[in-house]
C-alpha cells in the first residue's frame, strides 16, 4: 500500500525524531563497516532529512488547519462565559440565577466606564443614577436606596474584586481594565452574606499574568465634547516565570464644565477623575496562590449641576426668583466644589486542600470627601453647605467550597465587617449685604448657622452556606441559609440658630463654616444631641429546584428570603425626625428559563418574579404639627408589592453580526404607606426609579477589508418608560393643588452609535462615536423642596438635575 503524504504527516514528531536518529546510526554503521563513501552516506542522510522535514511540515499544517477550523467553529458560536456569581467558576448559562454579564473587552470597545452606574444600561428592570461620577444610586426590580446618609447601606450589594463596599459613594470607582462585570438580580444573601436583598454587582479586574507575552495589555486615549480627555491602560509585569507577576492599571479623565451659570458667568460641572490599581499575583505552590490588590482614586468636581424649577404659571420659585428653563442653565451665587479620595487594599488567598477550595479575602477601604455647595441652588442667599466626611471599613471573609461536579456539593463561609464613619456638616445663610446675591427681597439681616457632627460604627458577622444535590443528571435542588448579626451605634451632636434675625457673625466669609460666632447660646428645634445603638439578628434563606430539559435548555424555580440591615435617621435636622428604622425583608419568587439554540448562535433567557416587600425603608417629607412645618423622615413602610418579567437575548445571525437585547416589565406599588406623625398617606404610589418598561438593544456588524483589517459599525439604544424620582408626591400633589411633574420623567430613549477601524491582528483600533445621538433632553434626578403656596416663605418648585446631552468624540486603542 502506497504511503501518502497525509499518512506520513500523521506521524507524531517524536516518532519522526526517533526514526531519523535510527536511520542516521544505521548509515553511519554501514559507512564504517563496509567502507562506503562518506559523501554517499551524507547525501542519503540529506534525502531522509528532507523527507522527514516535509512530513513534519505537513503535520504542522494539518494541526494549524485543525486549529483554524476550531477557531472558525468558535467564531460561529457565542461561546460560554465563565462567572463566579455562585462563588465558584461556572458557565453563566448554567446557573439557576438571573444574571447579566458584561465582558471587560466589550465595555472598553463601547466606551463604557466613565461612571460605574453605566453598566445598568444593559440590565433589564434596573436603573442607576449618580451626581456626575459620584455616589451611584442602584435599583433592581424596584429595590434600591435614594437616601444620602453615609451610614445607610444600599440593598444592592456592591463587590469590588470580591470585597463588599458599604459606602455607596465609594461604589462610583471608575470601570477600567476589567475582566467582567456580573449583575445578579434578586436576593443573594446565602452566597454573599450581607445586604444583597435586591441583588449584587460584582466588579472583577483583569488579573496579572504569570507568563511572558500574554496579550491583554492595552492603552486607550479618548477625546470628546467639552474637552473630555480620557487616558487608560493595563500592563502586565512578569517577575518570575510561572511564579510571580504584577499588573498596573491606570485611568484619568479631565472634562470641562457643560452648564452655563447665568448668575456667575461661569461654566459649571467640570470634573477630574483619576485612579490607579496595582496587583501582585504569586503562585505559592501548585495548590496555593495569593493576590494583593492596592488601588487609589482622586476625584474632583467644579461648579454646580443642580438647578430649580417652578410649577407656578408665573414661573416664580421663591422670593420673586424665576429660574431659567434652559436645559444647560444653572444659577447660583455660592461656591460649588468637591474633593474625594479613595484608598483600598485587599489580599486574596486561595488554597486547594484535596478536593476542597479554601478562600480568604481581607479587605480595607478608606473614603474621604470634602464638598462645598450652594445648598439652595439659586442666586439667592438662603443656604450654603459644607461637608467633611470620612469612612473606613475592614472586612474578612473565609469561604470553603467543594467541587461543583460532585453529586452533592456545597459552600460555606463567614463574613466579618466593621465600618467607622466621621462626618461634619455645616449649613449657613451669610449676611446678604456682604455677598453677591440677586434678590432685593433677600437683602435683610438674617444670619443663620447649623452644624452637625456624627460618629457612627457598624459591626457585623454573617454565617452563610449553600448546598446542591444532583438527584439525577437532569434534576438538582439547592438550599441556602445565612444568619447575620449586625450592631450599629452612633453619637450625633447638632447646634443651630433661629431661622430669622441676626444670630451671630462670620469672621471669614471664604471659610464661613469654621468662623461663625453665635450672638447667644444655641437653642431651638435645630439644637439637640443623641446617641443610640441597636442590634439585629436576621435569617436569610433560599430554595431552588432546577431541571435540565435538554443539554441546552433548563428551567428553575427560586424562593428567597432576603434582609437588609436597619439603621437610624442620622440625617435628621429636627429631633422629631430622629427615629430608628427596622431591617427590610423581602420574599422573592422566581421562575426562570435558560437556553441555547442554533448550535450556540442564540441564547434566550426568561425570568418572571413576584416580590413581597416588608418594612421598606424610605425617605419622605410630611407635615409635623409640633414642628409647625414639613419634616424629612427616614422611616419604614409596612408593605410593597412588585412583580415583573425579564427577557434577555444574545444572537450571532452571521459570523460578522452580533445582536443582544433585553426587555424588562415591572409593576410596583406601596401598600400601607403612612408618613409618621400623621404626615400623610401615599398608598398606591410606585417605588422610585422603577419604570414599567426597560428595554435595550446592542448590535455590532463587522466588514472585512482585503488587507486583514476590519471596520465595525455598532450602536445601542436604551428605553425607559415613565418613572418617579421621589416617593411622595407623585404627579398631582393633593397638598398644594399643583402638578409636580418636576419629580418624574416620562418615557424616553437614548441612542448611541460608533464606527471603528481595526488593524490586522486587532492591534490598533480607531473609533468615532456619538452618545445620545439625537440629543434627547430628560430629567436625570430631582428632589422635593416645595412646602405649600400658603407657607411662609412659599417654595413653589423642586431641585432638578438635567440629563446628558449629545457628545461626540474619537478614541485610539492599542493592544499588546
Amino acid at each position: 500500500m502506497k504511503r501518502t503524504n497525509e499518512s506520513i504527516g500523521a506521524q507524531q514528531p517524536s516518532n519522526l525524531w526517533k526514526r531519523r536518529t535510527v536511520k542516521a546510526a544505521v548509515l553511519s554503521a554501514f559507512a564504517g563497516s563496509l567502507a562506503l563513501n562518506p559523501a554517499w552516506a551524507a547525501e542519503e542522510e540529506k534525502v531522509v532529512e528532507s523527507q522527514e522535514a516535509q512530513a513534519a511540515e505537513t503535520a504542522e499544517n494539518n494541526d494549524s488547519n485543525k486549529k483554524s477550523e476550531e477557531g472558525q467553529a468558535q467564531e460561529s458560536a457565542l461561546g460560554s462565559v465563565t462567572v463566579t456569581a455562585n462563588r465558584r467558576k461556572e458557565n453563566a448559562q448554567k446557573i439557576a440565577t438571573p444574571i447579566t454579564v458584561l465582558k471587560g473587552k466589550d465595555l472598553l470597545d463601547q466606551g463604557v466606564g466613565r461612571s460605574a452606574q453605566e453598566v445598568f444600561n444593559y440590565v433589564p428592570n434596573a436603573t442607576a443614577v449618580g451626581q456626575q461620577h459620584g455616589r451611584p444610586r442602584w435599583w433592581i426590580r424596584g429595590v434600591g436606596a435614594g437616601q444620602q446618609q453615609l451610614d445607610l447601606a444600599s440593598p444592592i450589594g456592591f463587590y469590588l474584586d470580591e470585597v463588599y463596599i458599604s459606602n455607596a459613594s465609594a461604589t462610583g470607582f471608575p470601570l477600567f481594565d476589567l475582566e467582567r462585570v456580573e449583575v445578579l438580580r434578586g436576593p443573594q444573601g446565602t452566597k454573599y452574606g450581607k445586604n444583597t436583598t435586591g441583588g449584587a454587582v460584582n466588579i472583577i479586574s483583569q488579573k496579572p499574568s504569570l507568563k511572558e507575552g500574554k496579550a491583554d495589555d492595552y492603552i486607550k486615549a479618548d477625546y470628546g465634547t467639552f474637552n473630555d480627555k480620557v487616558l487608560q491602560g493595563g500592563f502586565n509585569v512578569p517577575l518570575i516565570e510561572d511564579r510571580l507577576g504584577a499588573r498596573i492599571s491606570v485611568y484619568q479623565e479631565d472634562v470641562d464644565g457643560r452648564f452655563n451659570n447665568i448668575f456667575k458667568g461661569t461654566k459649571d460641572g467640570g470634573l477630574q477623575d483619576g485612579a490607579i490599581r496595582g496587583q501582585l499575583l504569586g503562585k505559592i505552590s501548585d495548590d496555593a496562590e495569593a493576590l494583593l490588590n492596592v488601588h487609589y482614586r482622586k476625584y474632583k468636581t467644579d461648579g454646580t449641576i443642580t438647578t430649580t424649577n417652578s410649577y407656578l404659571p408665573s414661573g416664580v420659585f421663591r422670593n420673586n426668583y424665576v429660574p431659567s428653563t434652559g436645559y444647560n442653565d444653572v444659577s447660583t451665587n455660592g461656591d460649588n466644589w468637591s474633593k474625594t479620595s479613595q484608598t483600598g487594599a485587599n489580599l486574596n488567598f486561595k488554597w486547594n486542600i484535596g478536593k476542597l477550595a479554601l478562600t480568604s479575602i481581607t479587605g480595607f477601604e478608606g473614603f474621604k470627601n470634602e464638598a462645598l455647595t450652594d445648598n439652595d441652588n439659586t442666586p439667592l442667599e438662603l443656604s450654603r453647605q459644607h461637608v467633611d466626611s470620612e469612612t473606613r471599613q475592614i472586612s474578612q471573609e473565609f469561604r470553603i467550597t467543594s467541587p461543583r461536579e460532585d453529586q452533592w456539593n456545597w459552600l460555606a463561609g463567614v463574613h466579618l465587617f466593621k465600618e467607622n464613619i466621621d462626618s461634619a456638616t455645616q449649613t449657613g445663610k451669610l449676611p446678604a449685604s456682604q455677598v453677591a446675591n440677586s434678590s432685593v427681597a433677600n437683602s435683610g439681616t438674617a444670619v443663620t448657622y447649623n452644624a452637625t457632627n456624627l460618629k457612627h460604627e457598624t459591626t457585623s458577622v454573617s454565617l452563610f452556606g449553600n448546598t446542591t444535590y444532583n438527584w439525577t443528571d437532569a434534576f438538582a435542588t439547592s438550599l441556602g441559609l445565612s444568619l447575620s448579626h449586625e450592631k450599629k451605634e452612633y453619637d450625633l451632636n447638632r447646634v443651630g440658630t433661629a431661622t430669622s434675625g441676626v444670630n451671630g457673625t462670620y469672621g471669614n466669609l471664604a471659610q464661613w463654616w469654621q468662623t461663625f460666632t453665635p450672638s447667644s447660646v444655641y437653642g431651638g428645634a435645630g439644637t439637640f444631641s443623641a446617641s443610640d445603638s441597636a442590634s439585629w439578628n436576621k435569617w436569610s434563606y433560599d430554595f431552588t429546584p432546577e431541571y435540565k430539559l435538554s443539554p441546552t435548555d433548563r428551567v428553575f424555580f427560586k424562593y428567597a428570603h432576603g434582609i437588609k440591615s436597619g439603621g437610624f435617621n442620622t440625617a435628621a435636622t429636627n429631633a422629631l425626625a430622629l427615629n430608628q428604622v427596622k431591617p427590610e425583608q423581602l420574599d422573592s419568587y422566581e421562575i426562570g428559563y435558560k437556553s441555547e439554540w442554533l448550535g450556540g448562535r442564540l441564547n434566550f433567557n426568561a425570568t418572571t418574579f413576584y416580590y413581597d416587600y416588608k418594612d421598606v425603608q424610605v425617605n419622605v417629607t410630611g407635615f409635623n404639627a409640633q414642628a409647625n412645618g414639613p419634616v424629612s423622615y427616614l422611616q419604614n413602610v409596612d408593605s410593597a408589592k412588585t412583580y415583573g418579567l425579564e427577557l434577555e437575548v444574545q444572537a450571532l445571525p452571521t459570523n460578522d453580526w452580533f445582536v443582544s437585547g433585553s426587555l424588562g416589565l415591572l409593576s410596583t406599588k406601596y401598600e400601607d404607606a403612612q408618613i409618621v406623625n400623621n404626615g400623610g398617606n401615599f398608598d398606591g404610589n410606585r417605588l422610585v426609579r422603577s419604570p414599567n418598561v426597560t428595554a435595550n438593544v446592542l448590535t455590532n456588524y463587522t466588514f472585512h477589508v482585503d488587507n486583514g483589517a476590519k471596520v465595525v459599525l455598532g450602536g445601542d439604544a436604551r428605553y425607559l418608560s415613565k418613572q418617579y424620582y421621589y416617593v411622595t408626591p407623585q404627579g398631582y400633589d393633593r397638598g398644594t393643588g399643583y402638578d409636580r411633574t418636576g419629580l418624574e420623567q416620562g418615557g424616553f430613549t437614548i441612542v448611541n452609535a460608533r464606527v471603528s477601524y481595526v488593524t490586522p491582528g486587532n492591534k490598533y483600533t480607531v473609533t468615532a462615536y456619538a452618545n445620545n445621538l439625537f440629543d434627547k433632553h430628560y430629567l436625570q434626578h430631582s428632589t422635593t423642596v416645595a412646602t405649600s403656596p400658603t407657607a411662609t416663605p412659599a417654595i413653589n418648585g423642586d431641585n432638578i438635575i438635567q440629563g446628558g446631552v449629545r457628545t461626540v468624540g474619537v478614541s485610539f486603542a492599542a493592544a499588546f
Side-chain angles (χ1 to χ4, degrees):
M1 179 175 164
K2 184 178 179 181
R3 180 181 296 177
T4 64
N5 286 340
E6 182 177 354
S7 62
I8 293 175
Q11 302 278 345
Q12 294 295 324
S14 59
N15 292 335
L16 288 172
W17 171 255
K18 291 177 182 178
R19 187 159 62 89
R20 175 180 170 182
T21 304
V22 170
K23 285 190 176 182
V26 170
L27 288 173
S28 178
F30 267 96
S33 60
L34 300 178
L36 293 176
N37 187 341
W40 176 88
E43 187 66 27
E44 183 66 18
E45 185 175 4
K46 287 181 181 180
V47 173
V48 173
E49 289 177 354
S50 176
Q51 291 175 340
E52 292 166 351
Q54 182 180 357
E57 182 180 357
T58 304
E60 184 178 350
N61 290 337
N62 288 342
D63 185 58
S64 177
N65 291 337
K66 181 179 179 182
K67 289 181 179 179
S68 178
E69 290 172 0
E70 290 175 351
Q72 291 175 3
Q74 188 174 7
E75 288 180 1
S76 65
L78 291 168
S80 62
V81 178
T82 299
V83 297
T84 52
N86 285 338
R87 309 326 263 314
R88 46 160 62 95
K89 292 183 178 180
E90 296 174 287
N91 186 334
Q93 280 295 107
K94 296 181 179 179
I95 63 173
T97 294
I99 180 173
T100 300
V101 184
L102 306 170
K103 297 179 182 178
K105 179 64 166 58
D106 294 339
L107 296 175
L108 183 69
D109 291 343
Q110 294 155 22
V112 175
R114 286 175 170 84
S115 181
Q117 64 259 23
E118 293 175 15
V119 298
F120 269 23
N121 291 341
Y122 304 91
V123 181
N125 284 328
T127 61
V129 66
Q131 273 69 60
Q132 296 171 294
H133 296 183
R135 197 189 186 279
R137 294 173 171 86
W138 311 92
W139 278 269
I140 299 177
R141 298 173 174 175
V143 180
Q147 293 87 349
Q148 292 281 351
Q149 60 190 71
L150 287 172
D151 53 300
L152 198 70
S154 170
I156 309 300
F158 187 92
Y159 291 80
L160 185 60
D161 288 317
E162 298 193 78
V163 174
Y164 170 76
I165 306 296
S166 177
N167 181 352
S169 296
T171 67
F173 204 89
L175 305 181
F176 62 102
D177 196 22
L178 300 183
E179 182 179 323
R180 66 186 182 279
V181 177
E182 304 170 359
V183 180
L184 294 84
R185 305 187 291 279
Q188 307 293 328
T190 66
K191 297 185 181 73
Y192 290 84
K194 186 174 175 64
N195 288 332
T196 54
T197 314
V201 180
N202 294 329
I203 309 296
I204 297 102
S205 302
Q206 189 69 263
K207 301 297 186 294
S209 172
L210 298 181
K211 294 187 178 296
E212 293 279 0
K214 186 180 177 184
D216 58 8
D217 292 0
Y218 80 97
I219 187 170
K220 182 180 180 181
D222 189 302
Y223 182 80
T225 307
F226 306 118
N227 198 28
D228 188 5
K229 302 176 289 294
V230 181
L231 180 65
Q232 61 174 299
F235 312 95
N236 279 308
V237 185
L239 300 174
I240 303 175
E241 181 77 9
D242 294 327
R243 285 296 178 186
L244 186 65
R247 186 172 181 87
I248 304 296
S249 309
V250 294
Y251 179 92
Q252 179 65 45
E253 179 179 15
D254 191 340
V255 59
D256 293 343
R258 157 198 153 196
F259 292 93
N260 305 309
N261 192 321
I262 58 178
F263 180 76
K264 297 173 70 175
T266 57
K267 281 287 188 180
D268 284 13
L271 64 85
Q272 293 179 336
D273 198 355
I276 184 170
R277 178 171 57 241
Q279 298 178 86
L280 189 65
L281 176 63
K283 190 173 182 181
I284 302 171
S285 70
D286 291 342
D287 296 315
E289 70 175 30
L291 176 64
L292 175 65
N293 178 317
V294 179
H295 50 270
Y296 175 78
R297 179 193 187 195
K298 188 174 183 180
Y299 169 56
K300 298 193 299 182
T301 66
D302 182 22
T304 187
I305 60 172
T306 307
T307 185
T308 58
N309 71 344
S310 171
Y311 48 73
L312 294 183
S314 64
V316 172
F317 170 71
R318 178 176 180 173
N319 292 58
N320 296 319
Y321 167 61
V322 179
S324 170
T325 58
Y327 190 68
N328 294 314
D329 288 346
V330 295
S331 187
T332 59
N333 68 311
D335 292 330
N336 287 270
W337 52 259
S338 70
K339 299 176 182 178
T340 299
S341 64
Q342 184 173 346
T343 305
N346 59 75
L347 183 61
N348 189 322
F349 279 106
K350 294 183 179 180
W351 297 274
N352 291 325
I353 305 174
K355 295 177 63 177
L356 302 179
L358 180 64
T359 302
S360 168
I361 304 169
T362 306
F364 166 81
E365 202 74 22
F367 185 90
K368 293 182 179 181
N369 172 258
E370 184 181 9
L372 185 64
T373 58
D374 187 327
N375 211 33
D376 55 69
N377 300 304
T378 73
L380 311 176
E381 185 53 44
L382 302 174
S383 177
R384 302 186 181 204
Q385 184 177 75
H386 175 265
V387 177
D388 195 349
S389 62
E390 180 179 4
T391 68
R392 301 168 304 281
Q393 69 164 64
I394 57 174
S395 60
Q396 174 64 56
E397 181 175 341
F398 295 106
R399 190 170 66 243
I400 187 168
T401 60
S402 69
R404 186 67 177 90
E405 60 271 14
D406 285 358
Q407 182 176 15
W408 175 57
N409 57 81
W410 50 270
L411 69 84
V414 58
H415 184 272
L416 310 174
F417 176 85
K418 184 174 182 178
E419 180 184 51
N420 290 95
I421 298 173
D422 291 286
S423 177
T425 303
Q426 303 87 24
T427 59
K429 180 179 178 182
L430 307 188
S433 59
Q434 298 179 38
V435 298
N437 71 88
S438 63
S439 173
V440 175
N442 202 54
S443 60
T445 58
V447 175
T448 64
Y449 179 79
N450 299 278
T452 302
N453 289 285
L454 170 68
K455 290 186 178 295
H456 188 281
E457 182 176 283
T458 300
T459 56
S460 71
V461 178
S462 298
L463 302 173
F464 59 95
N466 197 283
T467 181
T468 299
Y469 190 81
N470 296 282
W471 302 89
T472 68
D473 290 341
F475 179 64
T477 56
S478 298
L479 178 66
L481 190 64
S482 174
L483 173 62
S484 64
H485 170 79
E486 185 156 28
K487 181 179 180 180
K488 291 186 176 183
E489 51 188 323
Y490 75 92
D491 241 329
L492 178 66
N493 294 284
R494 191 175 193 278
V495 295
T497 65
T499 57
S500 61
V502 177
N503 297 287
T505 58
Y506 288 96
N508 181 354
L509 296 184
Q511 302 284 322
W512 61 265
W513 56 91
Q514 55 188 9
T515 62
F516 180 74
T517 302
S519 57
S520 61
V521 178
Y522 292 110
T527 298
F528 58 90
S529 296
S531 61
D532 202 353
S533 66
S535 298
W536 302 274
N537 298 303
K538 289 293 182 179
W539 290 95
S540 295
Y541 39 86
D542 58 56
F543 175 68
T544 308
E546 53 183 303
Y547 186 78
K548 297 179 183 178
L549 302 172
S550 74
T552 57
D553 295 78
R554 55 200 62 87
V555 293
F556 65 88
F557 167 78
K558 182 176 183 179
Y559 164 71
H561 176 79
I563 60 102
K564 173 188 176 287
S565 61
F568 301 94
N569 187 22
T570 57
T573 57
N574 187 306
L576 297 171
L578 193 60
N579 56 306
Q580 177 181 325
V581 290
K582 298 180 291 186
E584 294 183 339
Q585 301 186 61
L586 177 65
D587 287 302
S588 167
Y589 305 83
E590 295 176 300
I591 297 176
Y593 170 67
K594 292 190 173 184
S595 63
E596 301 97 53
W597 301 75
L598 305 177
R601 283 186 176 272
L602 174 67
N603 290 347
F604 172 73
N605 300 333
T607 307
T608 183
F609 61 90
Y610 169 75
Y611 281 179
D612 186 6
Y613 203 4
K614 302 292 187 184
D615 297 324
V616 188
Q617 298 169 4
V618 297
N619 190 20
V620 294
T621 301
F623 185 82
N624 185 285
Q626 291 177 283
N628 193 31
V631 173
S632 177
Y633 297 100
L634 175 63
Q635 67 167 83
N636 294 107
V637 169
D638 289 345
S639 177
K641 296 291 189 294
T642 297
Y643 59 89
L645 173 69
E646 294 159 354
L647 306 176
E648 293 183 283
V649 176
Q650 286 188 322
L652 200 64
T654 72
N655 290 355
D656 297 320
W657 185 20
F658 172 77
V659 181
S660 70
S662 71
L663 173 67
L665 304 177
L666 182 65
S667 176
T668 66
K669 182 175 67 173
Y670 288 107
E671 297 179 341
D672 303 323
Q674 177 70 45
I675 299 177
V676 297
N677 297 318
N678 298 313
N681 183 280
F682 57 98
D683 288 0
N685 279 15
R686 283 163 50 179
L687 277 65
V688 299
R689 297 278 171 184
S690 304
N692 292 141
V693 180
T694 59
N696 71 76
V697 61
L698 180 146
T699 185
N700 291 313
Y701 194 92
T702 302
F703 296 90
H704 295 275
V705 184
D706 290 341
N707 63 0
K710 297 180 292 186
V711 175
V712 182
L713 298 181
D716 59 89
R718 165 83 160 171
Y719 170 75
L720 300 173
S721 65
K722 183 178 180 178
Q723 57 184 310
Y724 294 98
Y725 294 159
Y726 208 71
V727 175
T728 178
Q730 292 184 358
Y732 180 78
D733 182 12
R734 289 167 292 182
T736 65
Y738 291 101
D739 186 11
R740 302 289 293 281
T741 53
L743 298 173
E744 63 189 58
Q745 171 61 52
F748 67 98
T749 301
I750 299 295
V751 177
N752 306 313
R754 55 195 166 273
V755 56
S756 300
Y757 178 80
V758 186
T759 64
N762 301 321
K763 188 169 184 180
Y764 302 111
T765 302
V766 179
T767 301
Y769 62 86
N771 294 328
N772 193 359
L773 180 63
F774 301 109
D775 200 23
K776 175 63 182 178
H777 290 187
Y778 61 97
L779 189 64
Q780 177 176 303
H781 185 55
S782 62
T783 58
T784 179
V785 294
T787 52
S788 167
T790 59
T792 303
I795 307 174
N796 308 302
D798 305 294
N799 293 322
I800 61 173
I801 300 176
Q802 303 288 14
V805 296
R806 178 174 52 231
T807 57
V808 297
V810 61
S811 68
F812 170 80
F816 306 100

